[in-house]
Amino acid sequence: NAGVTQTPKFQVLKTGQSMTLQCAQDMNHEYMSWYRQDPGMGLRLIHYSVGAGITDQGEVPNGYNVSRSTTEDFPLRLLSAAPSQTSVYFCASRQTVRTNYGYTFGSGTRLTVV
Amino acid sequence: LAKTTQPISMDSYEGQEVNITCSHNNIATNDYITWYQQFPSQGPRFIIQGYKTKVTNEVASLFIPADRKSSTLSLPRVSLSDTAVYYCLVGEKFGNEKLTFGTGTRLTIIP
């Protein structure tokens, strides 16, 4: 049981490049989310999914795409990287049964756009 | 979504009990209060969740007064390893995934 796995842990991109941040969970959680955290700030929600095939926008969705073809995977795509997207990205998941509401977070991907 | 207000930072000595208070004046009837802990270079970790009165687990206690306009996270006998940022969130227990973390409370434990 690995929990929430994010890859890569570190990435440097040039402005205009595209890439996909991977997120996988093995807990059969229905809900998954992507957050970004800028230095000294809290987490801001980018996109979330309440189940396979269902996604929705969060607080800061511009410049990012997501898809949820399986319960396990929730990749985040940067379409054309910009320096403003330099941040730490966290993926999270949670189950829907009443015994546990809390999200389980991955260890993050530190992205630098130059 | 109910907005939360927490102190930006707190210091405490090892072995003391630490209480971090969160204000959420606009909390809705269906909202629960959830606390997360975040260490540097790690993702947040769920600590505790409650709706009213008192909830206790192996890590912390959560006190919620009758009007539910505030809540207090209590950490008993803190150690250096409790140095972290603590976030208070308010939202529906199920169905509302647009959680807002805010900037949290940076707790520093002094030896």
Side-chain angles (χ1 to χ4, degrees):
Chain A
N1 190 333
V4 177
T5 302
Q6 292 185 236
T7 56
K9 293 190 182 303
F10 302 93
Q11 183 70 50
V12 179
L13 287 179
K14 293 182 178 179
T15 298
Q17 286 185 318
S18 63
M19 80 159 293
T20 299
L21 278 62
Q22 302 292 343
C23 176
Q25 52 92 8
D26 60 358
M27 299 171 284
N28 200 32
H29 287 177
E30 290 188 21
Y31 292 2
M32 296 186 74
S33 302
W34 275 101
Y35 290 85
R36 62 175 288 175
Q37 186 171 36
D38 300 321
M41 298 184 66
L43 286 80
R44 291 185 292 171
L45 181 64
I46 305 172
H47 285 285
Y48 65 96
S49 169
V50 298
I54 306 170
T55 63
D56 204 348
Q57 296 181 351
E59 180 185 358
V60 288
N62 292 339
Y64 308 95
N65 273 355
V66 292
S67 61
R68 185 93 180 272
S69 57
T70 66
T71 299
E72 294 78 18
D73 300 300
F74 191 43
L76 177 71
R77 297 183 187 85
L78 279 70
L79 309 174
S80 177
S84 61
Q85 293 179 305
T86 294
S87 188
V88 180
Y89 292 83
F90 291 102
C91 178
S93 72
R94 74 171 180 93
Q95 59 186 352
T96 58
V97 296
R98 290 188 171 274
T99 55
N100 183 2
Y101 173 73
Y103 269 97
T104 299
F105 281 80
S107 57
T109 294
R110 187 174 298 273
L111 176 69
T112 302
V113 182
V114 297
Chain B
L1 297 174
K3 178 179 171 56
T4 61
T5 303
Q6 304 175 234
I8 294 175
S9 64
M10 294 178 64
D11 295 337
S12 181
Y13 288 98
E14 273 191 296
Q16 292 189 331
E17 177 184 76
V18 171
N19 295 312
I20 305 174
T21 298
C22 178
S23 297
H24 28 79
N25 292 322
N26 297 323
I27 190 169
T29 302
N30 294 333
D31 286 344
Y32 281 71
I33 299 145
T34 309
W35 286 81
Y36 286 82
Q37 174 191 57
Q38 185 179 26
F39 297 115
S41 302
Q42 295 186 27
R45 180 175 75 107
F46 171 85
I47 302 176
I48 197 166
Q49 182 187 68
Y51 183 80
K52 61 181 179 180
T53 62
K54 176 183 175 182
V55 179
T56 297
N57 61 22
E58 65 278 5
V59 176
S61 294
L62 178 60
F63 299 92
I64 306 168
D67 66 7
R68 303 200 327 122
K69 293 185 182 299
S70 67
S71 58
T72 299
L73 175 73
S74 181
L75 304 173
R77 298 183 59 79
V78 293
S79 64
L80 295 177
S81 63
D82 291 314
T83 294
V85 178
Y86 292 82
Y87 297 96
C88 166
L89 281 73
V90 172
E92 292 181 20
K93 188 169 188 177
F94 300 103
N96 181 6
E97 301 311 304
K98 288 192 173 185
L99 299 176
T100 301
F101 271 78
T103 53
T105 298
R106 184 173 299 276
L107 175 65
T108 302
I109 305 303
I110 304 166

